[in-house]
Amino acid sequence: MKIGFIGLGLMGQPMAGHLLKAGYELHVHDVVAASKQALVDLGAVECIDNKAVAEASDIIITMVPDTPDVQAALFSDDGVAAGLSPGKIVVDMSSISPTATTGFAERIEALGCFYLDAPVSGGPFGAINAALTIMVGGPQETFDKVLPVFEAMGKTVTLIGNRNGDGQVAKVANQIIVGITVEAVAEALLFASKAGADPQIVRQALMGGAANSIILENHGGRMLDRNFEPGFRAELQQKDLNLAMQSARELGLFLPAASAAHDMYNATRANGMDKDDHTSVLRVLESMANHQTSDGKKS
Amino acid sequence: MKIGFIGLGLMGQPMAGHLLKAGYELHVHDVVAASKQALVDLGAVECIDNKAVAEASDIIITMVPDTPDVQAALFSDDGVAAGLSPGKIVVDMSSISPTATTGFAERIEALGCFYLDAPVSGGPFGAINAALTIMVGGPQETFDKVLPVFEAMGKTVTLIGNRNGDGQVAKVANQIIVGITVEAVAEALLFASKAGADPQIVRQALMGGAANSIILENHGGRMLDRNFEPGFRAELQQKDLNLAMQSARELGLFLPAASAAHDMYNATRANGMDKDDHTSVLRVLESMANHQTSDGKKS
């Protein structure tokens, strides 16, 4: 089985590396020459463009930042679609719009090919350790064919539904919870601190009860250590909550906490923190609070 | 050691029961005669008012709904303060305003007595199983004296800080996280469902990643089972987030997700769900969405 991999960034590079280690013949392209070269040095075959990747591969994986990047990778003149022949499988592992995904899948299927959306969660740490959560939308038969490939990169692989876009829906739902919960922990720790308690002790006490979560444990700890290295960049959390807001508009949904959190990740940019970890919302909250003393007077 | 217990509701009744089982002589009062009788039947001594409880006890525990209830229990004419003599300890286990707590403590200490604020989390289930998380504010020496009493009712007992109000600060921080996270899970499951995915499968997939929390596991499961029995009543979650909003105003803090969640628990009342579980915010969200089909047209 020959696999193509397009998009060798912070996530794609370790994911593609696992496929090489698993023994797959791997054909790669990335617009950044150095990223491509890193995989070629590990034994991947270099392609001149995405069309060439599709021509050489049975399964073509895309792992790029956002909806327009997937559109360009698939449908530009030198894109994947131009190199496809019937029976090939396109697997988009990027986190993008569920509705745009439906359209991309239709165009790929019109060429006699198959499509899966398979976004991941777990970040670079999960990618490096082949421990990603992979949420898949598409036909069961296609899923079954690609499953061994997914299992080389992830730990929890779930076919969310048979409809293309279902994987992206699950990923957006995931990011609604993650984005809001990071904000919730930031608000709670800021509150505790400004109200005069020790936020370390408060966090420890709260970890013993219903407030506990992976985010209180991991992200909460990093907030108190003042470690804002990404991790998961605030600009990506912003992008993912923007997908939620777009879908909410399309579906006519009222998502007030997601909307409030979306605003906060927007504000990381105004504070020059959008390339830092998404826990930087804590520093945005602090920037709104730190000219105030506890009696409300200017300090 | 003689203990007084004031407030024998859903929480207070099982908590007081554990103190009887632990062998303490227990003096009780509740405005609801039947609630008081239930403890008397188990062996507690009946008191005619809160003053009589304070006169008969070394440690007086209050467990009532809100700030004004604690104020009345302590400082009305037949209240605890009227029955105190120097050296006694007042322990307020209600969840109330951190700043009001500071004032209550000062008034009790002015009588030559001691004060701890010791709110709990864990709900009726935690109370029944003596598994509460207890967050305490006050002097170390007083905490040490009361610790065996706390340990008869709770599993995780933490002295948050030596300042009265620190326990209440931790509890408010807890309720900020719990209230927002319940809303986050409701928004994510509603989104998944309205976007056409199976929310059961989505929740299962998300439990494998960074979105996981006690609330996604427990409350998320109850939401999908359409089980809105309390649990923790929406009106109490509303009260606790109102404490957060009051404190945010006093401290000059910007807490946008807590504010959005507070609005949602307010809206449970308009929908007649404020006596139901706090997971009822899901039904409020649905009530905003259910006249829409997925293509945005009126159904």
Side-chain angles (χ1 to χ4, degrees):
Chain A
M1 181 114 70
K2 297 170 186 171
I3 300 180
F5 209 110
I6 294 164
L8 303 162
L10 220 60
M11 296 293 293
Q13 190 152 326
M15 291 165 69
H18 290 303
L19 298 180
L20 279 175
K21 270 178 247 154
Y24 291 107
E25 181 181 317
L26 199 69
H27 299 260
V28 298
H29 181 60
D30 191 288
V31 287
V32 179
S35 299
K36 179 156 64 173
Q37 190 58 46
L39 263 291
V40 172
D41 291 346
L42 294 171
V45 181
E46 181 173 4
C47 298
I48 54 160
D49 56 21
N50 294 331
K51 180 183 169 192
V53 172
E55 285 169 346
S57 311
D58 305 306
I59 296 174
I60 302 98
I61 295 172
T62 50
M63 188 63 180
V64 294
D66 205 351
T67 309
D69 307 299
V70 175
Q71 175 147 18
L74 297 182
F75 302 113
S76 61
D77 289 347
D78 57 359
V80 169
L84 287 176
S85 48
K88 297 195 175 192
I89 300 172
V90 173
V91 182
D92 178 34
M93 302 190 76
S94 321
S95 292
I96 67 163
S97 159
T99 45
T101 291
T102 310
F104 296 163
E106 283 168 3
R107 291 173 71 180
I108 294 297
E109 284 163 6
L111 301 170
C113 297
F114 303 94
Y115 191 97
L116 296 176
D117 51 299
V120 306
S121 97
F125 187 83
I128 289 164
N129 294 288
L132 294 168
T133 296
I134 305 178
M135 294 155 272
V136 189
Q140 177 82 50
E141 203 183 327
T142 313
F143 174 79
D144 292 341
K145 280 184 192 152
V146 182
L147 185 56
V149 177
F150 289 142
E151 287 176 336
M153 299 181 283
K155 204 171 59 178
T156 311
V157 184
T158 307
L159 181 64
I160 301 291
N162 295 316
R163 205 191 48 146
N164 277 119
D166 281 347
Q168 298 293 355
V169 167
K171 178 62 195 281
V172 171
N174 187 76
Q175 293 305 84
I176 288 173
I177 293 179
V178 168
I180 297 173
T181 309
V182 168
E183 170 66 17
V185 168
E187 291 188 17
L189 294 179
L190 177 78
F191 168 79
S193 166
K194 293 285 179 181
D198 181 335
Q200 302 271 6
I201 298 175
V202 170
R203 171 173 160 273
Q204 206 62 43
L206 269 48
M207 281 168 57
N212 199 28
S213 63
I214 291 181
I215 286 170
L216 182 61
E217 290 183 19
N218 296 351
H219 300 64
R222 297 208 303 273
M223 288 179 200
L224 294 178
D225 293 342
R226 310 301 296 176
N227 173 7
F228 298 102
E229 290 295 306
F232 185 65
R233 292 197 302 277
E235 63 181 1
L236 294 174
Q237 182 72 68
Q238 177 193 21
K239 183 216 38 160
D240 288 342
L241 280 173
N242 183 52
L243 291 175
M245 294 293 97
Q246 283 178 355
S247 297
R249 186 164 58 86
E250 290 163 10
L251 297 165
L253 296 181
F254 175 60
L255 303 179
S259 178
H262 179 237
D263 280 345
M264 286 300 300
Y265 295 102
N266 285 350
T268 59
R269 187 175 301 164
N271 286 264
M273 300 164 184
D274 49 321
K275 308 286 183 202
D276 296 340
D277 192 63
H278 52 161
T279 49
S280 294
V281 287
L282 174 64
R283 291 186 292 168
V284 176
L285 294 171
E286 288 169 345
S287 76
M288 308 284 286
N290 63 25
H291 306 300
Q292 297 270 336
T293 58
S294 61
D295 58 2
K297 300 202 183 80
K298 295 274 174 187
S299 61
Chain B
M1 182 114 70
K2 296 170 187 170
I3 301 182
F5 209 110
I6 295 163
L8 303 162
L10 221 59
M11 295 294 292
Q13 190 152 326
M15 290 165 70
H18 291 302
L19 298 180
L20 279 175
K21 269 178 249 154
Y24 291 107
E25 182 182 317
L26 198 69
H27 299 260
V28 298
H29 181 60
D30 191 288
V31 288
V32 180
S35 300
K36 181 156 62 172
Q37 191 58 46
L39 264 290
V40 172
D41 291 346
L42 294 171
V45 181
E46 183 173 2
C47 298
I48 53 159
D49 55 22
N50 294 332
K51 181 183 169 193
V53 172
E55 284 167 346
S57 311
D58 305 307
I59 296 175
I60 301 98
I61 295 173
T62 50
M63 187 64 180
V64 294
D66 204 350
T67 309
D69 308 300
V70 175
Q71 176 146 17
L74 297 182
F75 302 113
S76 62
D77 289 346
D78 57 358
V80 169
L84 286 177
S85 48
K88 297 196 174 190
I89 300 173
V90 173
V91 182
D92 178 34
M93 302 191 75
S94 321
S95 293
I96 67 162
S97 158
T99 44
T101 291
T102 310
F104 296 163
E106 283 168 4
R107 291 174 69 179
I108 295 298
E109 284 163 6
L111 302 171
C113 296
F114 304 94
Y115 191 97
L116 296 176
D117 50 298
V120 307
S121 99
F125 187 82
I128 290 163
N129 294 288
L132 294 168
T133 296
I134 306 178
M135 295 156 273
V136 188
Q140 177 81 50
E141 203 184 326
T142 312
F143 175 78
D144 291 342
K145 279 184 194 152
V146 182
L147 185 56
V149 178
F150 290 143
E151 286 176 338
M153 300 182 283
K155 204 172 60 179
T156 311
V157 184
T158 307
L159 180 63
I160 302 293
N162 295 316
R163 208 190 47 147
N164 277 118
D166 281 348
Q168 297 294 354
V169 167
K171 178 64 195 284
V172 171
N174 187 77
Q175 293 307 84
I176 289 173
I177 294 180
V178 168
I180 298 173
T181 308
V182 167
E183 169 67 17
V185 168
E187 291 189 16
L189 294 178
L190 176 78
F191 168 80
S193 166
K194 293 285 179 180
D198 180 335
Q200 301 270 6
I201 298 174
V202 169
R203 171 173 160 274
Q204 206 62 45
L206 268 48
M207 280 168 57
N212 200 27
S213 63
I214 290 180
I215 286 170
L216 182 61
E217 289 183 22
N218 296 352
H219 300 64
R222 297 208 304 272
M223 288 179 200
L224 294 177
D225 293 342
R226 310 301 297 176
N227 173 6
F228 298 102
E229 289 296 306
F232 185 65
R233 293 199 303 276
E235 63 181 0
L236 292 175
Q237 181 72 67
Q238 176 194 22
K239 183 218 37 159
D240 288 343
L241 281 173
N242 183 51
L243 292 177
M245 294 292 98
Q246 282 178 354
S247 297
R249 185 163 59 85
E250 290 163 8
L251 298 166
L253 296 181
F254 175 61
L255 302 179
S259 178
H262 179 237
D263 280 345
M264 288 298 300
Y265 295 102
N266 284 349
T268 59
R269 185 175 303 165
N271 286 265
M273 301 163 183
D274 50 321
K275 307 285 182 202
D276 295 341
D277 193 64
H278 53 161
T279 49
S280 294
V281 286
L282 174 65
R283 292 186 291 167
V284 177
L285 293 172
E286 288 169 346
S287 76
M288 308 284 286
N290 64 25
H291 306 298
Q292 297 271 334
T293 58
S294 61
D295 58 4
K297 298 199 186 83
K298 294 274 174 188
S299 62

